[in-house]
Coordinates of all heavy atoms in Angstrom, one line a residue:
L709 N -66.3 -7.5 64.4 CA -64.9 -7.3 64.3 C -64.5 -5.9 64.7 O -63.5 -5.7 65.4 CB -64.4 -7.7 62.9 CG -62.9 -7.4 62.6 CD1 -62.1 -8.3 63.6 CD2 -62.5 -7.7 61.1
N710 N -65.1 -4.9 64.2 CA -64.8 -3.6 64.6 C -64.9 -3.3 66.1 O -64.2 -2.6 66.7 CB -65.7 -2.6 63.8 CG -65.3 -2.5 62.4 OD1 -64.1 -2.8 62.0 ND2 -66.2 -2.0 61.5
G711 N -65.9 -4.0 66.7 CA -66.1 -3.9 68.2 C -64.9 -4.6 68.9 O -64.4 -4.0 69.9
I712 N -64.4 -5.6 68.4 CA -63.2 -6.3 68.9 C -62.0 -5.4 68.8 O -61.2 -5.2 69.8 CB -62.9 -7.7 68.3 CG1 -64.0 -8.7 68.6 CG2 -61.6 -8.2 68.7 CD1 -64.0 -9.9 67.7
L713 N -61.9 -4.8 67.7 CA -60.7 -3.9 67.4 C -60.8 -2.7 68.3 O -59.8 -2.3 68.9 CB -60.7 -3.4 66.0 CG -60.4 -4.6 64.9 CD1 -60.5 -4.1 63.5 CD2 -59.2 -5.4 65.2
K714 N -62.0 -2.2 68.5 CA -62.1 -0.9 69.3 C -61.8 -1.2 70.8 O -61.1 -0.5 71.5 CB -63.6 -0.4 69.2 CG -63.8 0.9 69.9 CD -65.2 1.4 69.7 CE -65.4 2.7 70.5 NZ -66.8 3.2 70.4
R715 N -62.4 -2.3 71.3 CA -62.2 -2.7 72.7 C -60.8 -3.1 73.1 O -60.3 -2.9 74.2 CB -63.2 -3.8 73.1 CG -64.6 -3.3 73.3 CD -65.5 -4.3 73.9 NE -65.6 -5.5 73.3 CZ -66.3 -5.8 72.2 NH1 -67.1 -4.9 71.7 NH2 -66.3 -7.1 71.6
F716 N -60.2 -3.8 72.2 CA -58.9 -4.5 72.5 C -57.7 -3.9 71.7 O -56.7 -3.4 72.3 CB -59.0 -6.0 72.3 CG -60.0 -6.6 73.2 CD1 -61.3 -6.9 72.7 CD2 -59.8 -6.7 74.6 CE1 -62.3 -7.5 73.5 CE2 -60.9 -7.2 75.4 CZ -62.1 -7.6 74.9
Y717 N -57.8 -4.0 70.4 CA -56.6 -3.5 69.6 C -56.3 -2.0 69.8 O -55.2 -1.7 70.1 CB -56.8 -3.9 68.1 CG -55.7 -3.4 67.2 CD1 -54.6 -4.2 67.1 CD2 -55.6 -2.1 66.6 CE1 -53.4 -3.8 66.4 CE2 -54.5 -1.8 65.9 CZ -53.4 -2.6 65.7 OH -52.4 -2.1 64.9
Y718 N -57.3 -1.3 69.5 CA -57.0 0.3 69.7 C -56.8 0.7 71.1 O -56.2 1.8 71.3 CB -58.2 1.0 69.0 CG -58.1 0.9 67.5 CD1 -59.3 0.3 66.9 CD2 -57.2 1.4 66.8 CE1 -59.3 0.1 65.5 CE2 -57.2 1.2 65.4 CZ -58.2 0.6 64.8 OH -58.2 0.4 63.4
A719 N -57.1 -0.2 72.1 CA -56.8 0.1 73.5 C -55.4 -0.5 73.9 O -55.0 -0.5 75.0 CB -57.8 -0.5 74.3
K720 N -54.7 -0.9 72.8 CA -53.3 -1.5 73.0 C -53.3 -2.7 73.9 O -52.3 -3.0 74.5 CB -52.4 -0.4 73.4 CG -52.2 0.7 72.5 CD -51.2 1.7 72.9 CE -51.2 2.9 71.9 NZ -50.2 3.9 72.2
R721 N -54.4 -3.4 73.9 CA -54.5 -4.7 74.6 C -54.3 -5.8 73.6 O -55.2 -6.6 73.3 CB -55.8 -4.8 75.3 CG -55.9 -3.7 76.4 CD -57.3 -3.5 76.9 NE -57.9 -4.7 77.5 CZ -59.2 -4.8 77.8 NH1 -60.0 -3.8 77.7 NH2 -59.6 -6.0 78.3
Y722 N -53.1 -5.9 73.0 CA -52.8 -6.8 71.9 C -53.0 -8.3 72.1 O -53.4 -9.0 71.3 CB -51.5 -6.4 71.3 CG -51.3 -5.0 71.0 CD1 -50.4 -4.2 71.6 CD2 -52.1 -4.4 70.0 CE1 -50.2 -2.9 71.2 CE2 -52.0 -3.1 69.6 CZ -51.0 -2.3 70.2 OH -50.9 -1.0 69.9
K723 N -52.6 -8.7 73.3 CA -52.7 -10.1 73.6 C -54.2 -10.5 73.7 O -54.6 -11.6 73.1 CB -52.1 -10.5 75.0 CG -52.0 -11.9 75.3 CD -51.3 -12.2 76.5 CE -51.2 -13.6 76.8 NZ -50.3 -13.9 78.0
E724 N -55.0 -9.7 74.3 CA -56.5 -10.0 74.3 C -57.1 -9.9 72.9 O -57.9 -10.7 72.5 CB -57.2 -9.0 75.2 CG -56.8 -9.3 76.7 CD -57.3 -8.2 77.6 OE1 -56.7 -7.1 77.7 OE2 -58.4 -8.4 78.2
A725 N -56.6 -8.9 72.2 CA -57.1 -8.7 70.8 C -56.7 -9.9 69.9 O -57.6 -10.4 69.2 CB -56.5 -7.4 70.1
K726 N -55.6 -10.4 70.1 CA -55.2 -11.6 69.3 C -56.1 -12.7 69.6 O -56.5 -13.4 68.7 CB -53.7 -12.0 69.8 CG -53.2 -13.2 69.1 CD -51.8 -13.6 69.6 CE -51.9 -14.2 70.9 NZ -50.7 -14.9 71.4
G727 N -56.4 -13.0 70.9 CA -57.2 -14.1 71.2 C -58.6 -14.0 70.7 O -59.2 -14.9 70.2
R728 N -59.1 -12.8 70.8 CA -60.5 -12.5 70.3 C -60.6 -12.6 68.8 O -61.6 -13.2 68.3 CB -60.9 -11.1 70.7 CG -61.0 -10.9 72.2 CD -62.2 -11.6 72.8 NE -62.2 -11.5 74.3 CZ -63.3 -11.0 74.9 NH1 -64.4 -10.8 74.3 NH2 -63.2 -10.8 76.3
I729 N -59.6 -12.1 68.1 CA -59.6 -12.2 66.7 C -59.4 -13.6 66.2 O -60.1 -14.1 65.3 CB -58.5 -11.3 66.1 CG1 -58.7 -9.8 66.3 CG2 -58.4 -11.5 64.5 CD1 -57.6 -8.8 66.0
L730 N -58.6 -14.4 66.9 CA -58.4 -15.8 66.5 C -59.7 -16.5 66.7 O -60.1 -17.3 65.8 CB -57.3 -16.5 67.4 CG -55.9 -16.2 67.0 CD1 -54.9 -16.7 68.0 CD2 -55.6 -16.9 65.6
S731 N -60.4 -16.3 67.8 CA -61.7 -16.9 68.0 C -62.7 -16.5 67.0 O -63.5 -17.3 66.5 CB -62.2 -16.5 69.4 OG -61.5 -17.1 70.5

Side-chain angles (χ1 to χ4, degrees):
L709 177 59
N710 287 336
I712 292 168
L713 297 177
K714 183 178 180 182
R715 284 190 307 274
F716 302 102
Y717 179 84
Y718 291 116
K720 298 183 180 182
R721 295 165 58 187
Y722 303 117
K723 187 174 182 180
E724 291 170 279
K726 177 186 78 169
R728 298 289 179 127
I729 296 169
L730 281 168
S731 293

